[in-house]
Amino acid sequence: MLTDPARFDFPGDVSRSGDLSSSVGETRSGHVVFPPLTPAEVARGTATFEHEWPLALAEHDAADPGQPYEAMHVLRRPVARSTTDAVLGPLDGSARDLVADLVLDWIDALAPIISARRPPRRWSSARRAERSARLALEDELAPLVGDGRTTQGVAVVLAAGIQVPIAAGAWLLAWLGQHLTGSFDPVHAVWETLRLTPPTWVTARITTEEVELSGQQVPAGHMVLVSPLLLGRLHALVPGDDEDRARFDPGRWTDEARRPGAWLPFGAGPHACPGRNLGTAQLSRLATWATTQTIVLSEKVSIDQSRGIVPAPCLFTVTRRETPP
Ligand code: HEM
């Protein structure tokens, strides 16, 4: 279904201003397909994340010595700057930081719109705040965007490529803080995080014609959901028995015959995540840092389900592990 865009169309835009019913019976040809980030772009963003992460921790330590970190907060700038560097190319530091901060502002302004039970009215304060944050970002981006890309398209890539890895990174820290005291493979820990708590836990398509799905007729114009969260519990895709699959266990991926990612945490088909390699690189760097630390959660994590799934709050402390002589 995700790989058949002619019959399963990609629905609308991030600001919920689109009218989904326009997909009935025809494909939404206007939706842009984003090309995957190149290896050079991924390498640039990864280097920035590695540089910015210790700085963010140090900044917190200077401002609030001895206080726990809040994962969703402390990850904001390292991820925002990393993804901005990857997507926009080498910029001077202050231009990069300004764009990164404006994307964060837009993400914050979008949150009440995405999480509202009904899409807010056009002239509501939430819509006005979102619009002004978006325009401020687009103004800043306009002179920086070339190569046939549009300012709006780049803004969407930046927002998706910052909001989701921040949530994924916070989940990674939440799992490590609850479960792991011994050694673990950082890449396997990333896959376990994306299996048990994929931030985009459900993705949608709209049928463009009547289709048969698992023996059921689905009329044109209906929404069909695919959930990486549920697929990540399937026996056919993940080793372990039913009870075991509910556990965070990076060790399950040491069997190289089993393919991590079969539960589609990055989607699939033409609308699959174009930032997949950057997202996994950012998370792997975070997990690699975590192998040198003991992470302890300060309190039980709650799940905020208002836009994807986010651990909120996720407070944790770290102590550097003694390295064996
Ligand atoms: C761990 C990190 C990430 C995860 C788990 C993730 C997950 C996803 C998922 C599940 C989708 C929907 C795919 C579908 O419906 O088939 C998606 C779409 C998207 N992602 Fe990511 N993503 C991550 C990082 C990134 C990064 C770093 C970027 C950009 C640099 C990015 C940009 C996008 C964009 C632009 C789309 C929309 C694609 C379209 O509309 O065609 N993502 N992502």
Side-chain angles (χ1 to χ4, degrees):
M1 164 196 146
L2 295 179
T3 54
D4 183 0
R7 294 192 307 151
F8 298 95
D9 196 12
F10 193 84
D13 60 61
V14 288
S15 66
R16 298 179 76 183
S17 49
D19 172 8
L20 293 181
S21 63
S22 64
S23 271
V24 174
E26 59 179 28
T27 191
R28 178 172 299 197
S29 53
H31 189 80
V32 187
V33 173
F34 301 104
L37 294 189
T38 64
E41 289 169 332
V42 172
R44 193 164 57 224
T46 310
T48 302
F49 184 83
E50 267 185 311
H51 176 73
E52 292 287 331
W53 175 243
L55 295 183
L57 296 175
E59 194 182 321
H60 169 92
D61 292 342
D64 285 312
Q67 292 305 306
Y69 306 96
E70 206 287 293
M72 290 291 293
H73 181 76
V74 76
L75 280 160
R76 278 167 70 94
R77 281 202 161 160
V79 171
R81 292 177 177 182
S82 158
T83 299
T84 304
D85 266 344
V87 172
L88 288 180
L91 292 178
D92 91 64
S94 60
R96 188 275 315 268
D97 294 352
L98 177 59
V99 170
D101 285 349
L102 289 171
V103 182
L104 290 168
D105 289 347
W106 184 38
I107 290 170
D108 293 342
L110 269 169
I113 294 182
I114 293 172
S115 62
R117 270 179 194 277
R118 291 167 175 275
R121 285 175 201 280
R122 199 152 164 226
W123 296 111
S124 60
S125 59
R127 285 266 182 226
R128 278 186 280 129
E130 184 274 324
R131 190 179 132 85
S132 99
R134 176 163 36 87
L135 294 182
L137 171 62
E138 288 177 6
D139 280 353
E140 207 53 43
L141 282 177
L144 306 173
V145 168
D147 301 336
R149 302 196 285 185
T150 65
T151 310
Q152 289 87 346
V154 171
V156 168
V157 173
L158 288 170
I162 292 174
Q163 147 93 31
V164 182
I166 291 174
W171 280 119
L172 174 66
L173 294 168
W175 286 114
L176 297 179
Q178 279 176 84
H179 288 277
L180 286 180
T181 46
S183 63
F184 59 91
D185 180 306
V187 174
H188 294 161
V190 169
W191 284 117
E192 272 299 82
T193 301
L194 294 177
R195 181 178 75 80
L196 287 169
T197 42
T200 309
W201 71 273
V202 67
T203 184
R205 298 291 187 269
I206 309 281
T207 52
T208 59
E209 61 187 40
E210 181 169 331
V211 292
E212 191 189 313
L213 269 182
S214 309
Q216 224 183 320
Q217 293 302 123
V218 183
H222 275 57
M223 190 181 286
V224 189
L225 303 174
V226 175
S227 172
L229 181 80
L230 298 178
L231 292 174
R233 298 292 180 97
L234 288 186
H235 168 69
L237 305 181
V238 181
D241 59 32
D242 282 352
E243 200 173 316
D244 176 63
R245 275 194 298 279
R247 284 194 314 119
F248 182 80
D249 176 14
R252 77 175 77 247
W253 299 110
T254 40
D255 175 0
E256 296 201 344
R258 303 305 294 256
R259 188 169 74 85
W263 60 90
L264 310 178
F266 297 96
H271 289 295
C273 179
R276 172 197 172 109
N277 291 343
L278 177 61
T280 40
Q282 291 166 333
L283 295 176
S284 300
R285 291 308 182 281
L286 184 62
T288 302
W289 164 84
T291 60
T292 64
Q293 314 288 328
T294 300
I295 298 176
V296 178
L297 288 185
S298 308
E299 57 184 58
K300 197 169 176 303
V301 166
S302 315
I303 305 179
D304 175 349
Q305 302 180 51
S306 58
R307 42 205 160 109
I309 48 170
V310 169
C314 173
L315 294 164
F316 67 96
T317 56
V318 296
T319 338
R320 202 176 164 76
R321 284 190 196 178
E322 296 296 324
T323 40

